[in-house]
Structures are given as C-alpha cells and as structure tokens.
Amino acid sequence: MARHLITSAIPYINGIKHLGNLVGSQLPADLFARYQRARGHEVLFLCATDEHGTPAELAAAKAGKPVAEYCAEMHQVQARIAEGFRLSFDHFGRSSSPQNHRLTQHFAGVLADQGLIREVSETQMYSPTDGRFLPDRYIEGTCPNCGFDSARGDQCDNCTKQLDPVDLINPRSVISGATDLQMRETKHLYLRQSTMKDQLEQWIDTREGWPVLTTSIAKKWLNDGDGLQDRGITRDLDWGIPVKKGDADWPGMEGKVFYVWFDAPIEYIACAQEWVDAGKGSDWERWWRTDRGAEDVTYTQFMGKDNVPFHTLSFPATILGSGEPWKLVDYIKSFNYLNYDGGQFSTSRGRGVFMDQALEILPPDYWRWWLLSHAPESSDSEFTWENFQTSVNKDLADVLGNFASRVTKFCRSKFGEVVPEGGSLGPREAQLIADLTAKIRDYEEHMSQAEVRKSASALRAAWVLGNEYLQEAAPWSTFKTDPEQAAAQIRLALNLIRLYAVISEPFIPDAAAALLDALAVTDRSWPADLDTALQILPAGHGFTVPEVTFRKITDEEREDWQARFAGNR
C-alpha cells in the first residue's frame, strides 16, 4: 500500500469560483485522490480557503461585513459547493486558522535564523485620509498605457499591463476615494530567494516527469532577465497573520502582516494539523516530516499555471531554507486555462458558469465528466454549450447510460430482476475480456500518471467495448433460439455494469454509486483480474433496474443556458 499526500491549490475567499477555477486544481486533484483510494492506497487529500490579502478585505468591505465574519461565511459557502461537486477532501481548512498562524510565524523565525530574510526600506503610497499605507490593489487610477480609468496599482485589467501604483494617472484610494496620496517610507521583510537559486534549480532538476508547463515556468522565473529575485513577504494590512519571529515580536514590524503568498502554501501543512485537531485523523507529522515517517509519502500538487512560480520556487525556498525535515513536493500537475464560449470567464462581469449555478442546472457528474475529459492540460481549452451538450448526450447518455438501461431492462423482461443462470461464455466473450483488460490497463497507467484527458478517453473506450459486444452478441436475437446462451450473455453484461461503475467512480461518483446500489453490490473492489471481476454477480443474484443514469440535454435547454450565462451574474 502506497501513501499519497495530495493538495489542491487553495481557492481565494473572495466569492464563488467559476468552472475554470474548478478544473484547474480541485477537480483533477479529487480524481487522483479517488483513484488512489480505489486502488487501496492510503490518501490524505487537503485543501482550504485562502483568506488573507487585499482582495479579502475589499470583498468584505463591498459586502458591508467585518473581514473575519465575511471569511467565515464564505468558507462555509465554498465548503458546501465543494461537497456539491463531491470533492472528497479529507479536510477543507482555512489559512486564517490558529495552526497556520503558528506555523507561518515559525517558518519566518527559522528562515531569519538561517540568514534568509532581510529588512528593506521602501517607499509606498500612504493615504492620510484613510490613515494607512495602501497596497497595490487598494489604489486605482487611469492606466498610462491604454487610458482605462479603473486600472489597479498592480495591473490594468483592460490591457493587462503590469503596473506600479506610481505609474497610475490620478491615483485614488479604493477605500475612501481620497486623492491626497503621498509616498512614504516603510519597512518590509524579503525572502532572500536569490541566494537559493542554484539549490532550487538543482532540486527542480531532480523532479521526475514533471509536465513541461510546470518546469518551463519555473525555469523562466529562475533564469530570465536578472534571474530569481528576492520577494517581499510582509504587507501593511490589518487582516492577516501578524509578523512575528516564531513566538517573539519582530522589532520594527509592528502592525504588519505576512504577505498572503508566504502564508497560503504553508496552510497545506497547517491543514493537516487542522485535520487532526478536528478529530478526523491522527499523527499529521507522518505525512509532512521526513523524520517522523514521511519518507515513503508521494506528494502531488494540483494547480493552475498562474500558481506555478510560488509552488516551484517560493514555497520550496521556504521549506528548503528552513533546514528542517519537511516533505517536499514530488510532482506538480499544472493546468492551462479553460476559456468560456469565445472569450474568457470573468468574475467581475459574471461571464461564464459559476460553481453554484452549475449545480442548480445539472447534477455534479455531468460537469465532472465534461470538465475532466476536456481538462486544459497541454494547452488552453474552451467550454462551449454545444460541445457540453454533445459530450453529455453521446458519452454519458448514449454510451454508458444506455448500456446499463438496455441490459437491465432486457433481463427484467426475459429473466426477471435476477442474474440469469445457464449457458457458457465462448470465443467472443474471451476476446471482449482480452480487449477490456488491455483498455483498463491503459486507463490505470494514465490515471497513475495524472494524465486526465487520456484517462477519460481510455475509460470511454472501455464503455464502448461493452456496447459493441452487446450489438454483436444481440442477446434479444439469441434468446429466440438459445435462451441459455442469451442468459450467459446477459450475466456477463450485468457484471460489466458493475465493472464500469467501479472503474468510473473517480470521474462520476454519484452515477457509479447509483448503479452499484441498483445491482445490490457489496464487492466494490478494483478489477485486478477481469475473468474474476466479471463473475462477481452470480446467477440468482437479485437487482433492480436503475433510474435513468444520465438524461440528454435538449436544444432548448442549451439555448436557454447559453443566453443566461453570457454575462451580468
């Protein structure tokens, strides 16, 4: 039994995420976790809400709530939606937890002791009206590049140009609208990543089989231009983890908090502590400390490509720089972007389908199947309603659902709701078992490598083999001349439904559970040997005909949804 530690990039707290966010991290991580559990391995699958930084403060202000109250409410909302999509986290934590406070302050202290933190004096925008320094996102103004009048202090959303607050024309405070902004001196802590460049590059070079997307982004940050730069890890904000050196105060850093990108990845570790403190598990250190048993853990991270620099460089710099025996990531599975119907998903414009809306329209398996089978692995991919309708109707309704329906209904009409006895399997069935064995071994190989689209393709191909067999064997015709042979064919086909439910569970857990319940199956073991697996339902075993596994999406529904989600959420 192997041990798999799996983390998904933690979603930001400021609102409900769209389908592009879901497929870029949480959903493929869940697929991988479910598969490893199905194979009998020990899994710890962790995620959390990312609750610090300026967007949390701004979202809370917009909602008219204290930021702590807003974050607590949104954590519950995101947890419910995750449940709705059947994301099987062992724990869904919070980066604002006491555990993450202590651990982040601990890492800062040991990094300082290792000489990897320096103090930097810099000038920053200050608002006398607000009585505070304004981080990048608290400042808006006119973009000097394109003239857009609501550009932020870090980037213009209109032309995407990277900016500094001093670049903006007529800058103003997002909080109060004040324009009497001043440049004042402030002190911040910087993580001395540049001194660790060679160590980080050497470590990255030892990682095996990483996606090209992951390594290319990491190498670009390491070597392009002036190479890897030191990074600020503190901010002048009220909401966040107070800057401390372990348990001790940090002179000159009073009133400051750690930057969200310093504390957020540390939450992966803190989340395991939360898991134990919540009474769900024991001994988190055997997952995270190599001196306490984590040497045999395989650690896999899932994330969108925009998060790669922080997980390949900044977080490893924190772990390696500490000099402590923490578990480092073994494999980073990164994803490109999912676009929406000829453009981009847009949270601000309400363009695209958001996770709560998706669940109001259709059950989670419909979305899980489409998103995973179209995951943006090698390049960006695009959600279109036409493609979604076609994929659901052909893959789920016609291939898998139709097979289960035809077999169980035919059996009921000719033999009753019981697995029929009699007859024997012949060369045609032997060939089916051989073909299925090859296809399932392909599926297992792709799943073990977290190759999401290839896994979906292999799974669908296994479903197709059953349909082709049914068409060729034609038990409805065989029954007229040789009822016993038809019984053998249907007995095999009923066992195929069980097989499909078991191997499809990581993709479509609800449908798999419904089929297994209808078949009254207690043995849900992975098919190591197909000859054995296709005899698990014996003659005389009772079942019920399942409800429609997947219904088809109509043209009218598709047109309605296309109009409804064009914008203005």
Side-chain angles (χ1 to χ4, degrees):
M1 183 173 71
R3 297 173 63 217
H4 287 274
L5 174 62
I6 300 165
T7 61
S8 159
I10 63 179
Y12 210 74
I13 197 72
N14 62 336
I16 293 164
K17 305 297 125 182
H18 55 64
L19 295 182
N21 300 130
L22 177 63
V23 76
S25 56
Q26 292 176 314
L27 190 55
D30 179 71
L31 178 78
F32 190 64
R34 284 179 178 275
Y35 174 72
Q36 296 298 349
R37 290 191 197 107
R39 298 309 306 274
H41 301 310
E42 189 181 3
V43 169
L44 181 60
F45 178 25
L46 301 172
C47 191
T49 38
D50 184 0
E51 300 188 9
H52 295 136
T54 53
E57 288 194 350
L58 291 172
K62 189 174 179 182
K65 295 179 179 177
V67 64
E69 180 185 325
Y70 172 82
C71 287
E73 287 181 9
M74 285 308 302
H75 173 79
Q76 290 299 319
V77 169
Q78 292 202 19
R80 279 197 304 273
I81 292 172
E83 263 178 47
F85 276 98
R86 308 298 183 254
L87 302 178
S88 60
F89 305 129
D90 289 293
H91 188 69
F92 187 58
R94 301 181 62 187
S95 70
S96 62
S97 69
Q99 293 88 340
N100 198 37
H101 276 238
R102 287 194 299 271
L103 198 57
T104 298
Q105 292 163 344
H106 165 80
F107 271 112
V110 295
L111 288 166
D113 292 343
Q114 298 282 4
L116 289 170
I117 288 182
R118 63 186 176 95
E119 289 189 15
V120 176
S121 289
E122 56 190 28
T123 55
Q124 194 175 322
M125 286 275 191
Y126 183 85
S127 169
T129 301
D130 300 309
R132 62 180 291 175
F133 284 97
L134 299 179
D136 300 346
R137 291 189 174 214
Y138 273 60
I139 307 161
E140 281 187 353
T142 301
C143 175
N145 186 53
C146 71
F148 181 58
D149 65 0
S150 294
R152 294 195 314 260
D154 59 347
Q155 181 178 322
C156 174
D157 282 342
N158 187 54
C159 69
T160 72
K161 185 176 176 63
Q162 299 287 307
L163 300 169
D164 283 316
V166 291
D167 298 331
L168 294 173
I169 301 164
N170 300 325
R172 60 188 178 274
S173 163
V174 170
I175 304 167
S176 63
T179 57
D180 59 335
L181 307 185
Q182 306 167 356
M183 296 302 292
R184 288 193 187 180
E185 189 171 289
T186 183
K187 270 188 181 178
H188 283 292
L189 301 179
Y190 274 66
L191 178 61
R192 299 178 63 202
Q193 296 182 148
S194 59
T195 64
M196 298 182 67
K197 176 186 178 294
D198 292 344
Q199 187 181 1
L200 287 166
E201 189 155 29
Q202 188 177 9
W203 170 72
I204 288 167
D205 288 342
T206 65
R207 303 299 93 180
E208 293 182 7
W210 277 15
V212 173
L213 181 64
T214 303
T215 50
S216 62
I217 292 172
K219 294 281 189 176
K220 182 177 168 65
W221 277 61
L222 276 169
N223 299 311
D224 277 15
D226 296 325
L228 186 63
Q229 299 296 300
D230 294 347
R231 189 167 188 89
I233 61 166
T234 57
R235 289 290 185 269
D236 290 297
L237 287 172
D238 295 326
W239 174 246
I241 297 176
V243 176
K244 284 195 167 190
K245 192 179 289 185
D247 296 330
D249 291 333
W250 202 312
M253 292 294 127
E254 298 81 6
K256 298 181 192 293
V257 300
F258 286 108
Y259 181 35
V260 62
W261 264 114
F262 183 67
D263 81 73
I266 294 170
E267 167 59 18
Y268 294 140
I269 307 174
C271 189
Q273 301 181 18
E274 295 171 50
W275 167 69
V276 170
D277 293 345
K280 299 177 184 176
S282 62
D283 195 7
W284 65 267
E285 289 183 319
R286 66 187 283 267
W287 290 97
W288 276 109
R289 289 188 64 104
T290 54
D291 60 340
R292 305 286 172 85
E295 307 97 328
D296 63 345
V297 169
T298 299
Y299 178 21
T300 308
Q301 295 176 345
F302 290 79
M303 70 196 64
K305 61 185 175 184
D306 52 332
N307 288 342
V308 167
F310 304 101
H311 291 77
T312 54
L313 303 170
S314 299
F315 186 39
T318 299
I319 297 286
L320 289 166
S322 74
E324 296 177 333
W326 297 103
K327 174 68 187 172
L328 281 153
V329 66
D330 295 295
Y331 189 78
I332 295 180
K333 177 70 177 184
S334 55
F335 291 85
N336 290 282
Y337 295 140
L338 176 70
N339 294 318
Y340 179 76
D341 225 359
Q344 292 183 326
F345 280 92
S346 171
T347 302
S348 59
R349 296 198 309 276
R351 187 174 191 279
V353 189
F354 289 75
M355 289 170 67
D356 58 336
Q357 296 169 323
L359 293 174
E360 290 167 10
I361 296 172
L362 286 168
D365 283 352
Y366 293 73
W367 300 106
R368 288 177 64 102
W369 173 254
W370 189 91
L371 289 166
L372 291 166
S373 61
H374 293 78
E377 287 175 294
S378 56
S379 62
D380 291 352
S381 60
E382 183 173 22
F383 177 92
T384 70
W385 286 103
E386 290 83 358
N387 187 299
F388 179 64
Q389 178 189 27
T390 300
S391 182
V392 165
N393 291 357
K394 287 190 173 177
D395 298 348
L396 298 180
D398 284 347
V399 181
L400 179 63
N402 190 42
F403 180 82
S405 178
R406 289 170 75 191
V407 170
T408 53
K409 286 180 178 175
F410 177 78
C411 184
R412 178 174 63 184
S413 70
K414 303 301 182 189
F415 304 103
E417 288 188 333
V418 63
V419 178
E421 60 183 332
S424 58
L425 304 181
R428 182 190 279 118
E429 288 74 26
Q431 185 60 52
L432 169 65
I433 290 170
D435 293 343
L436 265 175
T437 298
K439 195 49 67 181
I440 291 173
R441 297 295 94 90
D442 284 348
Y443 176 59
E444 292 168 348
E445 177 63 23
H446 296 317
M447 287 287 269
S448 68
Q449 300 296 322
E451 294 175 318
V452 179
R453 287 176 83 142
K454 287 180 179 177
S455 298
S457 180
L459 178 60
R460 187 188 187 280
W463 299 342
V464 167
L465 286 172
N467 281 273
E468 290 174 347
Y469 168 73
L470 206 61
Q471 287 301 109
E472 291 168 16
W476 43 89
S477 298
T478 311
F479 184 81
K480 294 171 186 173
T481 56
D482 190 347
E484 288 226 335
Q485 184 58 28
Q489 293 167 345
I490 287 296
R491 190 165 62 250
L492 176 68
L494 287 165
N495 274 285
L496 267 177
I497 297 172
R498 178 207 160 271
L499 173 80
Y500 289 157
V502 168
I503 66 173
S504 303
E505 188 274 343
F507 278 89
I508 45 174
D510 283 3
L515 289 172
L516 291 168
D517 288 346
L519 292 174
V521 177
T522 53
D523 185 343
R524 304 187 175 195
S525 58
W526 194 265
D529 171 68
L530 248 63
D531 279 311
T532 305
L534 292 172
Q535 297 178 54
I536 284 175
L537 297 181
H541 177 85
F543 68 89
T544 56
V545 173
E547 298 288 326
V548 173
T549 311
F550 291 101
R551 71 167 184 84
K552 290 194 172 186
I553 295 171
T554 67
D555 290 345
E556 291 74 24
E557 285 176 315
R558 172 179 54 76
E559 290 163 7
D560 173 49
W561 297 335
Q562 206 158 5
R564 182 173 157 193
F565 297 107
N568 303 317
R569 171 179 165 85

